[in-house]
Amino acid sequence: MPGGPIHQSAFGSEADLSRCVHCGLCLQHCPTYLETGLETESPRGRLHLIRALSEGRIDLAGNTMGHLDMCLQCRNCEAVCPSGVPYGRIMEHARAAVIESRRAPVPWRLRSLFLREVIARPGRLRALAAALRFYRRSGLRALAESIPLLRDRALLAPSIAGRPFTGTGVLARPKGEPVARVALLTGCIMPLAYGRVHRATVRVLAANGCEVIAPVDQSCCGALQAHNGDRQTAQALARRNIDAFLEDGCDFVVVNSAGCGAAMKEYGELLSQDAVYSERARVLAARVKDIHEFLLELPFRPPTGRLEASVTFQDPCHLAHAQRIREAPRRILQSIPGVQFVEMEHADRCCGSAGVYSFTQPQMSLQLLQRRIDEVRASGAAVVATANPGCMAQIEAGLRRNRLPVRVGHVIELLDAAYRAEHR
Amino acid sequence: MTAAKRLIRELQSALGRRWVLHAPEDLLVYEYDATIDRALPQAVVLPESAQQVAQAVRIARRYGLPVTARGAGTGLSGGALACEGGVVIVMTRMNRVIKIDAENQLAVVEPGVINLDISKAAAPYGLYYAPDPSSQKACTIGGNIAENAGGPHCLRYGTTTNHVLALEIVTADGEIAEISATQAGYDLTGVLVGSEGTLAIVTKATLRLLHKPEATITLLAIFDRVSEASETVSAIISAGILPAALEMIDKNTMDAVEEFAHCGYPPDAGAVLLIEVEGLSEEAEEQANEVRSICEKFGVRELRTGTDPAERERLWAGRKSALGALGRKAPSYYILDGVVPRTKLPSVLAEVYQACDRFGFAVANVFHAGDGNLHPNVLFDERVPGATARVLELGEEIMRLCVEAGGSISGEHGVGFEKRSYMSWIFSEDDLEVMARLKAAFGAGDGFNPGKVFPTSKGCGEVSSHMRAAIAKAGPGAYV
Ligand SMILES: Cc1cc2nc3c(=O)[nH]c(=O)nc-3n(C[C@H](O)[C@H](O)[C@H](O)COP(=O)(O)OP(=O)(O)OC[C@H]3O[C@@H](n4cnc5c(N)ncnc54)[C@H](O)[C@@H]3O)c2cc1C
Ligand code: SF4
Ligand code: SF4
């Protein structure tokens, strides 16, 4: 057989895989199953395929890799599974096994290379961002989006606009004694694509009495690399962050990007086999807080400034399903005077962004995006709030595609606007 | 070209390439349902219309291959498995609610519609679809019809069969036919509901919808002893009260649930009853009072009441997480599904406990007490050598207890493949002959879902013991 059996242990523990009892209760939560009706594109099916791979019943030839690749890794299935199947972990290990088998198809390898050599390298990433900024400003994007053949791919290229965020060291200090000393994860994409969200985050933390720092030696969190099977790079990045953040002795690491927060909370697991770092990884992971949960655990100061808008919230998958945080962002939005909060249907279903999925599976990505945009439209909201750069970019693209006059913002940007309105 | 290739070619030209699966890795995910049985089909097709179903059936028959319908694959008796290979017809793409007719209180749906989605579609009209299997967020109406699925609220409103008004079916000859419960002549829908996919494939269903009750009151009654709780159940029913649901959780289950869902069950209580009454506000209140006084008569030690949805949900939480929570007690459990006359509940339950004691296994009982539908869950560790075999033996004994008490071998999960060898306990040779003739009259022969229901068929696929079927490992939230 061309692939040859992959050694079972490469796929994670038998204990993980055997927790699936095939009850099917996850099926109606899986976006790709809902689109296709195919068991091969379902959580239960993928788990069965991974198991079959690990047992050598099938190999990597044929459609198997396509089915693994079609998975968004949104972890909606994991959040609803009554048996507690750790789907995210299983899929990460499976993709790692594919990459390590050296039989991964070319697109998989290119993706890995890109994530390792561009996304995880700040200098190269800045150059790419500059190119994308030029692409947008020069009108090239508008041109590409007007050409039917290019339109859909062009749409999903991230929109790089506004000033990047470059702050390091101490970013804010409250007037009195700080209630907490927090370190901000700046990350890879957020500071370039949405520098304004970081600036808002720093102001919001300060308004709630926190001292905010950004350790200079921190790096990309490693989530994208881990999701795509490059655990080695992810582990190297995690070690750098552990050093950088523990060095600074902050009380908490605050993260405003759902995907990064989820990944950092799982550092303990990512480095569980690392003789030197496993303990420190657990220590750091325990300090990681999503910005919304963090604010509500402080004595949160509700804003008094007004913001007149109807707002809906689209749950980032790695906030709702991986971190199981659903209420906090909604409560923050509802605390803003003047905001009319409306729930859109299927708010917690994936928008199709899913890391680099919008590039690797553009068709499914767009199909899912269109569903979400239709639901946004039906909600009648004027603003879609979310909490992850990928989701923001994806929904912005969908709104452009549908010429829908709806704005997209991070929850924290809206909160920041309300605080700032207090001074007017 | 080989016959196998020609078959695929023909199916493809009838259904389109995308919706005919034949690669080994694609077929593999259709080898299971919610049991632990496995059987591989030769081809899987996903039709989008009754015409395509009919074409697929005709093609399969021409190649002499059996046909098995499949819904969501949540079945607990191996019904959707291609036990003798052949073509599996998956109904998941036929998932439209065709219409809600509010005036006549009915819904017309395709068979792949998810049970809960029918109630969602009917909600704007103040209507809902009553049968509520615990798997209702995942299972299809086609699967419900085939298994005559039940649920907690079927006590008052009846199981699926009471809610099916008409069906469109594809017969074994690949003909499309309409049958109706209300038309003159034989009530063929009654025959088809519960036939486990062995007679025909359902391609459209007309279902009865009910008005949402004005008021619903949930009572949670805690008893010191199981016997008191079971006597209360009998007394409620003999008093002529028909609660919407009447569920029991025994001590072992409570212990597990308490650790997990923190329901506030006292550690020394023996059993909990969940009783739901509904109707017009006054009527519900009156019934609740009657139920309360019966509970008191049988020595209830604590009564809790929930009227708004949030309170009621809290009272149901323990019941809903019951099976999942049992996963904390043992790595595996074997879910049994039997029925006994309500009056025999206390004695059969006592015998079930004794039998389990004798075999040395813990058992947790959580079940639809109101209609005598027992679900003993035998807790064990599959990895202990010989444990599985002994559990199966025990399961057989418990089934015998049910039958000897005048009950039956399946309340709602179906006979399928798991329990077909028990059919001869409750049906005589003649009975089985009549059923076989019925099957023949539908022209189904062994062409539809072979290896199911009838005790004479061959064994399924690679399974070493047919009884392994319902052995499931527990997980938080799995719920029967
Ligand atoms: C966690 C859990 C809880 C459950 N709780 C309950 C419960 O409370 N009550 C209960 O009754 N059951 C329960 N079940 C069992 C199961 O959900 C039901 O039997 C359900 O009706 C199966 O539906 P399905 O769509 O999954 O069918 P499948 O499993 O796919 O198929 C079941 C049978 O239906 C046949 N079939 C499917 N579609 C058609 C069609 N269109 N035409 C003809 N035949 C067809 C198949 O051939 C097969 O024989 C539970 C299962 C699980 C996993
Ligand atoms: S992943 Fe969980 S919910 Fe899905 S089939 Fe397996 S056990 Fe059931
Ligand atoms: S992670 Fe998302 S896409 Fe992947 S199987 Fe689970 S629910 Fe489906």
Side-chain angles (χ1 to χ4, degrees):
Chain A
M1 63 174 73
I6 296 177
H7 196 264
Q8 161 115 18
S9 60
F11 276 89
S13 65
E14 149 79 18
D16 278 357
L17 282 166
S18 66
R19 287 193 83 148
C20 175
V21 297
H22 297 279
C23 67
L25 295 183
C26 52
L27 297 178
Q28 291 297 313
H29 296 269
C30 173
T32 57
Y33 176 78
L34 288 169
E35 290 301 314
T36 60
L38 288 166
E39 189 79 20
T40 46
E41 310 302 348
S42 78
R44 183 171 63 169
R46 292 182 179 119
L47 288 164
H48 199 64
L49 287 176
I50 293 171
R51 186 145 208 201
L53 274 172
S54 72
E55 291 169 358
R57 288 180 69 196
I58 51 170
D59 57 52
L60 288 171
N63 306 325
T64 308
M65 263 187 288
H67 300 321
L68 299 187
D69 206 42
M70 185 68 87
C71 173
L72 297 146
Q73 293 177 298
C74 67
R75 292 166 70 175
N76 203 328
C77 51
E78 183 174 323
V80 300
C81 171
S83 288
V85 172
Y87 183 92
R89 173 163 87 202
I90 293 173
M91 183 52 91
E92 266 181 27
H93 280 279
R95 289 197 179 180
V98 172
I99 298 272
E100 280 154 27
S101 74
R102 304 197 175 282
R103 296 187 190 92
V106 174
W108 284 52
R109 278 185 269 165
L110 285 177
R111 178 170 67 196
S112 257
L113 193 72
F114 173 73
L115 293 174
R116 186 174 67 236
E117 299 301 336
V118 180
I119 297 290
R121 305 261 185 151
R124 293 177 187 169
L125 188 59
R126 274 197 299 276
L128 176 67
L132 282 169
R133 185 171 288 123
F134 171 76
Y135 168 70
R136 183 190 142 113
R137 289 214 181 136
S138 65
L140 268 176
R141 180 176 78 179
L143 183 70
E145 286 182 4
S146 69
I147 300 172
L149 210 65
L150 291 178
R151 201 181 84 166
D152 286 342
R153 282 206 179 249
L155 256 170
L156 295 180
S159 177
I160 303 282
R163 234 171 354 114
F165 177 89
T166 51
T168 54
V170 178
L171 304 174
R173 211 170 251 149
K175 291 188 192 89
E177 182 66 14
V179 295
R181 199 160 173 269
V182 304
L184 179 71
L185 172 86
T186 48
C188 51
I189 314 256
M190 188 73 110
L192 295 172
Y194 296 104
R196 56 174 216 260
V197 174
H198 275 344
R199 287 188 285 273
T201 304
V202 173
R203 284 191 295 266
V204 162
L205 285 167
N208 280 277
C210 297
E211 175 175 335
V212 189
I213 56 166
V216 66
D217 288 334
Q218 61 173 307
S219 69
C220 157
C221 71
L224 292 175
Q225 294 79 3
H227 298 161
N228 289 288
D230 185 358
R231 285 173 70 83
Q232 269 178 10
T233 302
Q235 284 161 346
L237 292 167
R239 281 191 289 263
R240 267 188 61 183
N241 277 331
I242 291 164
D243 288 340
F245 284 102
L246 288 184
E247 184 83 356
D248 260 296
C250 51
D251 305 325
F252 297 100
V253 177
V254 170
V255 185
N256 59 12
S257 150
C260 309
M264 292 184 79
K265 285 180 177 179
E266 288 167 7
Y267 274 178
E269 155 114 36
L270 181 67
L271 292 171
S272 63
Q273 306 299 316
D274 188 309
V276 182
Y277 276 85
S278 64
E279 186 49 37
R280 283 156 61 74
R282 273 196 296 277
V283 171
L284 181 70
R287 288 189 198 169
V288 174
K289 292 278 178 192
D290 170 68
I291 177 77
H292 310 90
E293 73 174 336
F294 178 73
L295 286 174
L296 291 185
E297 284 170 12
L298 290 174
F300 170 59
R301 178 167 87 69
T304 54
R306 289 184 78 77
L307 205 69
E308 301 293 342
S310 57
V311 180
T312 191
F313 180 64
Q314 150 92 77
D315 294 85
C317 297
H318 283 218
L319 198 60
H321 308 312
Q323 299 188 56
R324 314 276 163 102
I325 296 173
R326 292 163 177 272
E327 283 309 309
R330 290 179 168 80
R331 279 184 46 203
I332 290 176
L333 290 171
Q334 284 162 335
S335 78
I336 301 175
V339 161
Q340 289 162 282
F341 183 74
V342 287
E343 281 289 353
M344 59 184 275
E345 213 189 335
H346 302 140
D348 71 346
R349 224 169 255 169
C350 187
C351 65
S353 168
V356 291
Y357 192 90
S358 46
F359 304 101
T360 53
Q361 298 284 354
Q363 199 190 336
M364 178 60 79
S365 175
L366 274 171
Q367 218 169 308
L368 295 172
L369 176 58
Q370 193 55 46
R371 300 244 182 226
R372 300 297 86 81
I373 297 299
D374 291 342
E375 287 153 2
V376 167
R377 192 199 313 263
S379 79
V383 178
V384 185
T386 184
N388 193 57
C391 311
M392 290 172 70
Q394 177 89 347
I395 293 169
E396 280 166 1
L399 293 170
R400 276 209 307 283
R401 185 174 192 247
N402 286 266
R403 298 178 201 286
L404 210 61
V406 172
R407 286 189 308 130
V408 178
H410 194 292
V411 175
I412 298 302
E413 283 185 276
L414 301 183
L415 177 60
D416 177 52
Y419 282 144
R420 293 211 281 171
E422 291 170 357
H423 306 301
R424 259 183 243 131
Chain B
M1 203 166 23
T2 64
K5 278 211 177 114
R6 280 204 310 276
L7 166 77
I8 300 300
R9 202 53 75 76
E10 284 191 44
L11 288 171
Q12 283 174 338
S13 65
L15 284 104
R17 286 179 70 91
R18 171 138 204 236
W19 306 114
V20 178
L21 309 183
H22 55 93
E25 62 274 19
D26 293 348
L27 297 178
L28 204 62
V29 301
Y30 290 93
E31 70 169 351
Y32 55 73
D33 62 1
T35 62
I36 60 170
D37 276 327
R38 304 284 178 261
L40 271 175
Q42 271 118 308
V44 170
V45 298
L46 293 100
E48 60 174 7
S49 64
Q51 284 70 26
Q52 288 192 344
V53 174
Q55 277 175 298
V57 168
R58 282 200 295 268
I59 295 168
R61 294 310 291 271
R62 203 148 11 85
Y63 284 85
L65 289 173
V67 170
T68 303
R70 180 183 173 99
T74 69
L76 289 173
S77 58
L81 303 187
C83 284
E84 293 173 15
V87 178
V88 165
I89 301 188
V90 182
M91 313 306 287
T92 51
R93 290 180 64 224
M94 292 177 64
N95 61 353
R96 284 180 313 139
V97 173
I98 297 167
K99 77 169 180 204
I100 301 286
D101 178 347
E103 201 170 319
N104 295 305
Q105 281 181 244
L106 50 86
V108 181
V109 303
E110 291 186 331
V113 168
I114 302 302
N115 173 301
L116 193 61
D117 288 346
I118 302 168
S119 291
K120 277 193 198 151
Y125 308 94
L127 298 168
Y128 76 111
Y129 178 68
D132 57 342
S134 314
S135 50
Q136 73 180 144
K137 283 186 183 165
C139 61
T140 68
I141 192 70
N144 289 175
I145 291 170
E147 301 288 0
N148 189 18
H153 290 85
C154 291
L155 174 59
R156 180 175 177 129
Y157 301 108
T159 54
T160 305
T161 190
N162 301 90
H163 302 268
V164 177
L165 299 174
L167 296 172
E168 178 190 85
I169 56 170
V170 168
T171 66
D173 308 326
E175 301 291 335
I176 300 173
E178 306 253 359
I179 57 175
S180 150
T182 46
Q183 78 197 9
Y186 297 121
D187 174 7
L188 291 177
T189 57
V191 172
L192 264 155
V193 178
S195 65
E196 303 191 21
T198 58
L199 300 181
I201 296 180
V202 174
T203 49
K204 191 159 76 184
T206 305
L207 308 169
R208 187 199 310 282
L209 299 174
L210 301 184
H211 279 291
K212 279 191 208 141
E214 187 182 292
T216 305
I217 302 174
T218 306
L219 299 170
L220 183 135
I222 302 174
F223 291 88
D224 284 330
R225 274 181 289 275
V226 174
S227 56
E228 293 164 355
S230 6
E231 278 160 22
T232 305
V233 171
S234 292
I236 290 173
I237 306 285
S238 10
I241 304 170
L242 192 51
L246 180 34
E247 303 277 304
M248 194 190 314
I249 306 172
D250 76 350
K251 173 150 187 57
N252 272 341
T253 316
M254 274 194 291
D255 288 349
V257 166
E258 191 53 39
E259 263 177 52
F260 168 70
H262 311 295
C263 306
Y265 299 146
D268 56 339
V272 160
L273 287 183
L274 261 173
I275 309 153
E276 198 153 279
V277 293
E278 57 188 33
L280 299 171
S281 302
E282 255 171 53
E283 179 191 346
E285 195 48 58
E286 217 168 90
Q287 287 197 14
N289 284 335
E290 267 184 85
V291 168
R292 283 194 192 99
S293 65
I294 295 175
C295 290
E296 271 150 21
K297 195 167 133 209
F298 287 94
V300 69
R301 66 184 259 180
E302 192 184 329
L303 263 169
R304 297 180 197 162
T305 305
T307 46
D308 70 48
E311 282 170 358
R312 292 178 32 232
E313 193 154 314
R314 266 198 300 283
L315 297 182
W316 274 99
R319 170 67 180 90
K320 293 202 174 172
S321 58
L323 270 200
L326 285 177
R328 300 168 165 251
K329 295 272 155 191
S332 311
Y333 59 65
Y334 180 26
I335 311 168
L336 290 153
D337 170 35
V339 186
V340 297
R342 246 179 330 249
T343 49
K344 298 272 180 64
L345 258 182
S347 63
V348 173
L349 260 180
E351 285 171 335
V352 167
Y353 286 119
Q354 279 161 19
C356 294
D357 263 356
R358 217 171 337 104
F359 276 79
F361 290 113
V363 65
N365 280 288
V366 42
F367 55 94
H368 316 311
D371 39 21
N373 187 180
L374 286 175
H375 287 309
N377 299 285
V378 183
L379 306 177
F380 71 108
D381 187 345
E382 215 180 351
R383 294 165 300 190
V384 173
T388 304
R390 288 220 326 291
V391 164
L392 297 176
E393 221 181 295
L394 170 60
E396 188 162 334
E397 179 155 338
I398 292 176
M399 283 299 123
R400 259 188 206 289
L401 289 174
C402 295
V403 172
E404 278 162 14
S408 179
I409 58 173
S410 168
E412 54 183 22
H413 298 165
V415 174
F417 167 69
E418 186 209 354
K419 291 195 277 201
R420 63 210 165 103
S421 64
Y422 307 161
M423 286 290 276
S424 49
W425 300 352
I426 45 173
F427 297 110
S428 67
E429 288 279 315
D430 288 347
D431 295 336
L432 290 170
E433 175 64 25
V434 171
M435 287 186 216
R437 283 214 218 127
L438 184 67
K439 195 173 178 187
F442 270 86
D446 253 354
F448 269 157
N449 215 355
K452 311 294 163 54
V453 184
F454 289 95
T456 46
S457 320
K458 286 188 304 231
C460 195
E462 309 153 12
V463 187
S464 50
S465 156
H466 70 279
M467 287 284 299
R468 285 173 56 90
I471 299 178
K473 288 195 194 74
Y479 158 40
V480 179

